[in-house]
């Protein structure tokens, strides 16, 4: 069972991924966490110290160097699939699932967590909406290359997990 969750910031990838992995009893990986551990810095600090381009390079290396077991759930940073054609790499690693959340809902969630978001931290509140609108539209094009899309705008974490588990064609068989 190889499940890879992609989607915009604040769509719930890490939370859903972690809980899904617990429920099905497979290891969970999160690229932001792996990178933070490796560098001993938060993603915010990495952006400040080295800039976004360098962070994208680190994300690429993270995916290239990942030693994944036979069964896993992997959640990747919101921007990761959108650089260096990594969405296609991810498609080769397992079943990619785009967790889609409407822009308005994303906007509301991000307004309250702006300071943990290196892409937003320097923007005035009044500019955040238009910035997100543009980024969301660009990234939707990329995320739509995932193998599956699930609209989770109106689902809580448990409902999302139930939904994923009920669509068993997403989840490869036991002996995999
Ligand atoms: C980013 C998303 C973040 C993190 C970094 C950049 C992005 O991960 O990798 O702040 O470009 O969308 P989450 O999607 O887990 O918030």
């Amino acid at each position: 069972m190889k499940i890879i969750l992609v989607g915009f910031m604040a769509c719930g990838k890490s939370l859903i991924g972690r809980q899904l992995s617990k429920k099905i009893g497979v290891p969970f990986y999160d690229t932001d966490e792996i990178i933070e551990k490796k560098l001993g810095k938060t993603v915010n600090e990495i952006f400040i110290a080295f800039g976004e381009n360098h962070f994208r390079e680190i994300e690429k290396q993270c995916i290239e160097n990942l030693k994944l077991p036979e069964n896993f759930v992997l959640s990747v940073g919101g921007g990761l699939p959108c650089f260096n054609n990594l969405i296609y790499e991810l498609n080769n690693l397992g079943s990619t699932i785009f967790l889609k959340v409407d822009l308005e809902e994303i906007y509301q969630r991000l307004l309250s967590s702006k300071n943990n978001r290196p892409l937003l931290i320097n923007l005035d509140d009044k500019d955040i909406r238009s910035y997100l609108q543009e980024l969301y539209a660009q990234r939707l094009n990329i995320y739509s290359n995932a193998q599956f899309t699930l609209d989770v705008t109106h689902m809580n974490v448990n409902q999302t997990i139930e939904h994923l588990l009920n669509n068993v064609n997403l989840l490869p068989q036991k002996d995999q």
Side-chain angles (χ1 to χ4, degrees):
M1 165 174 315
K2 303 172 192 301
I3 298 174
I4 302 165
L5 301 179
V6 305
F8 211 78
M9 286 174 272
C11 74
K13 299 174 296 280
S14 301
L15 191 60
I16 292 163
R18 190 178 300 282
Q19 296 205 14
L20 176 64
S21 74
K22 268 195 198 139
K23 186 129 189 176
I24 56 184
V26 303
F28 174 64
Y29 300 85
D30 181 300
T31 57
D32 283 342
E33 249 177 42
I34 295 170
I35 290 170
E36 288 185 339
K37 243 186 223 155
K38 180 145 192 241
L39 275 79
K41 288 185 192 305
T42 63
V43 169
N44 252 346
E45 288 167 346
I46 297 169
F47 265 71
I48 292 166
F50 307 119
E52 180 176 356
N53 289 346
H54 190 69
F55 179 73
R56 301 306 175 194
E57 193 50 41
I58 297 171
E59 284 187 311
K60 178 169 174 257
Q61 286 166 15
C62 177
I63 290 299
E64 285 170 356
N65 298 329
L66 261 185
K67 301 262 179 299
L68 292 165
E70 194 58 31
N71 299 296
F72 63 85
V73 175
L74 167 68
S75 156
V76 303
L80 185 146
C82 310
F83 293 83
N84 301 299
N85 289 320
L86 288 184
I87 184 67
Y88 304 108
E89 287 295 319
L90 297 176
N91 281 341
N92 288 331
L93 291 179
S95 305
T96 45
I97 303 170
F98 167 31
L99 298 177
K100 186 164 188 271
V101 172
D102 286 353
L103 177 61
E104 189 54 34
E105 173 65 23
I106 291 280
Y107 172 67
Q108 295 302 336
R109 293 183 193 179
L110 286 175
L111 268 189
S112 54
S113 63
K114 176 186 149 181
N115 290 341
N116 304 324
R117 308 285 177 183
L119 293 177
L120 307 180
I121 201 164
N122 294 321
L123 294 178
D124 288 338
D125 280 4
K126 68 173 173 35
D127 298 327
I128 289 187
R129 187 186 284 270
S130 59
Y131 174 76
L132 286 178
Q133 241 162 7
E134 195 174 322
L135 192 66
Y136 188 91
Q138 282 169 12
R139 289 187 172 182
L140 220 55
N141 279 329
I142 315 269
Y143 298 144
S144 63
N145 291 294
Q147 290 151 359
F148 303 92
T149 297
L150 179 60
D151 192 329
V152 296
T153 308
H154 303 292
M155 288 188 208
N156 63 28
V157 173
N158 286 336
Q159 289 167 328
T160 302
I161 290 174
E162 279 313 301
H163 200 94
L164 289 170
L165 291 174
N166 287 335
N167 285 277
V168 281
N169 59 337
L170 290 182
L171 307 176
Q173 305 307 306
K174 265 196 200 132
D175 55 351
Q176 282 189 296

